[in-house]
Each structure stands twice: as C-alpha cells, then as structure tokens.
Amino acid sequence: MVNCNIDNRIRITQGATYQSLKIKDMNREYYTKKGFELYAIMTPSDKYTQGIEIMYPSNPIKSDNQPAVYILTNREGKLMKIGETQNLTSRFFKGYKCVTNITNDRIREHIRTKEDLWVYVLPMPIIKEKVLGFKCETSYSKGLEYNLLKEYKDDNGSVPPLNIFIK
C-alpha cells in the first residue's frame, strides 16, 4: 500500500476513488449529525461589563451541571471552536460571560467585533467508580475534545480559528 500526502491535509492510498479524496465539511451540520444540540447564542451586549450576552433560545439539556463537549459556530455554520467543560452551566453562565482569562477574552472580543456565536453541546455521562475505596467521578469530555480537535486538524491542516492548540 502506498501512502502519499496531498496538501498536508488528505491521505490517500493507492486505488482511492475521487469521493474518498474530498475533505470533510466539518461545519455545524457535521456535528449536529453526531448528536450536538443547540444550547445558546452568544451576542454583544452593553448590559454586562464583559460585553456579551448569552441567550438560551431553548435548553435541550436535561441537566446543565454536567460535563459536555461543545462547539461554537458562526451564523453560517462555520466551526469556530471545539471545547469541553466539566460543568456546562458554569462554563457559559459564568465563564464566558464573566471570568477574565486569555481564552474567554479572545472569544468575547470575537463576539464584540466580528459576529455572534452559536453554541452546540454534546452532554457527556458522568462515570462513577470506586478506586482504592474512594468514590470517584469523571467523564470522557477531555478525551472527546482532544479527538475532535485532532480529527479537525488532520482534515483541515489547523485547529478551528478560535482554538489555539490541541491540549
């Protein structure tokens, strides 16, 4: 089997068809087909110090206080960021809206100066296990975020515009 790299984005093997050479269109539709659901829309706002409002048009998530992987897209559906959180409510109601750090500031600046962002989430189960006699809780959110970012980078040559790198 002969592997070659075209434009550092597409790997093909000998005998590949034209259809298999197409780059995935990794947009909102791609992720909603995987199970991501609309959670909120982030818009500019003069009401808050940090300058953005988070509107929850409908809340399909049964429990906000849970881990999740999320994507941010623009109005047209272009993927802008892939992220994860251990607490969905805290991440959006507090984090992006109030907490100052490099990531949150970059997202807020994008919203204030360029465009609204749509938030789609995929809630993750909380896994509860006893380890060494202790009750432990975890989720697969970090692992899924990593793999989604890796898939995106492998297919597009870089991470989404509002991501900086893959952790």
Side-chain angles (χ1 to χ4, degrees):
M1 188 179 309
V2 176
N3 285 326
C4 58
N5 207 342
I6 296 176
D7 195 23
N8 293 325
R9 296 184 295 181
I10 307 170
R11 286 189 201 150
I12 61 172
T13 50
Q14 188 174 2
T17 64
Y18 175 75
Q19 187 71 344
S20 67
L21 299 178
K22 289 177 69 178
I23 295 174
K24 291 180 202 157
D25 193 7
M26 300 175 109
N27 58 15
R28 176 175 35 226
E29 184 179 348
Y30 177 79
Y31 292 95
T32 56
K33 285 181 179 177
K34 290 182 173 290
F36 284 78
E37 298 179 68
L38 179 64
Y39 180 68
I41 301 170
M42 299 192 296
T43 62
S45 174
D46 293 333
K47 283 187 346 185
Y48 300 100
T49 306
Q50 301 294 350
I52 68 162
E53 170 73 79
I54 299 178
M55 300 179 302
Y56 300 91
S58 65
N59 190 348
I61 310 308
K62 292 169 181 48
S63 172
D64 284 338
N65 297 316
Q66 71 181 84
V69 175
Y70 63 90
I71 61 166
L72 303 179
T73 72
N74 65 11
R75 179 181 302 276
E76 292 76 35
K78 178 182 177 189
L79 183 67
M80 303 303 289
K81 179 174 174 51
I82 298 171
E84 68 85 23
T85 181
Q86 293 303 308
N87 185 312
L88 196 52
T89 302
S90 179
R91 183 70 185 117
F92 288 93
F93 188 73
K94 296 175 187 167
Y96 279 133
K97 203 169 177 180
C98 305
V99 176
T100 298
N101 64 34
I102 293 169
T103 299
N104 294 349
D105 293 347
R106 184 176 62 254
I107 302 299
R108 286 192 292 260
E109 181 65 19
H110 182 87
I111 293 165
R112 285 192 305 264
T113 62
K114 295 190 176 147
E115 61 192 343
D116 297 349
L117 292 176
W118 274 248
V119 180
Y120 288 80
V121 300
L122 182 67
M124 302 300 297
I126 298 172
I127 296 99
K128 298 177 182 182
E129 293 287 332
K130 257 191 167 181
V131 180
L132 300 175
F134 298 98
K135 292 180 185 175
C136 299
E137 291 185 358
T138 190
S139 79
Y140 298 119
S141 59
K142 284 189 188 301
L144 182 57
E145 175 202 31
Y146 172 82
N147 284 294
L148 290 174
L149 281 166
K150 186 172 178 341
E151 175 190 47
Y152 187 93
K153 185 176 181 183
D154 288 350
D155 285 358
N156 295 282
S158 66
V159 294
L162 294 174
N163 283 98
I164 299 223
F165 56 85
I166 299 174
K167 295 179 188 176

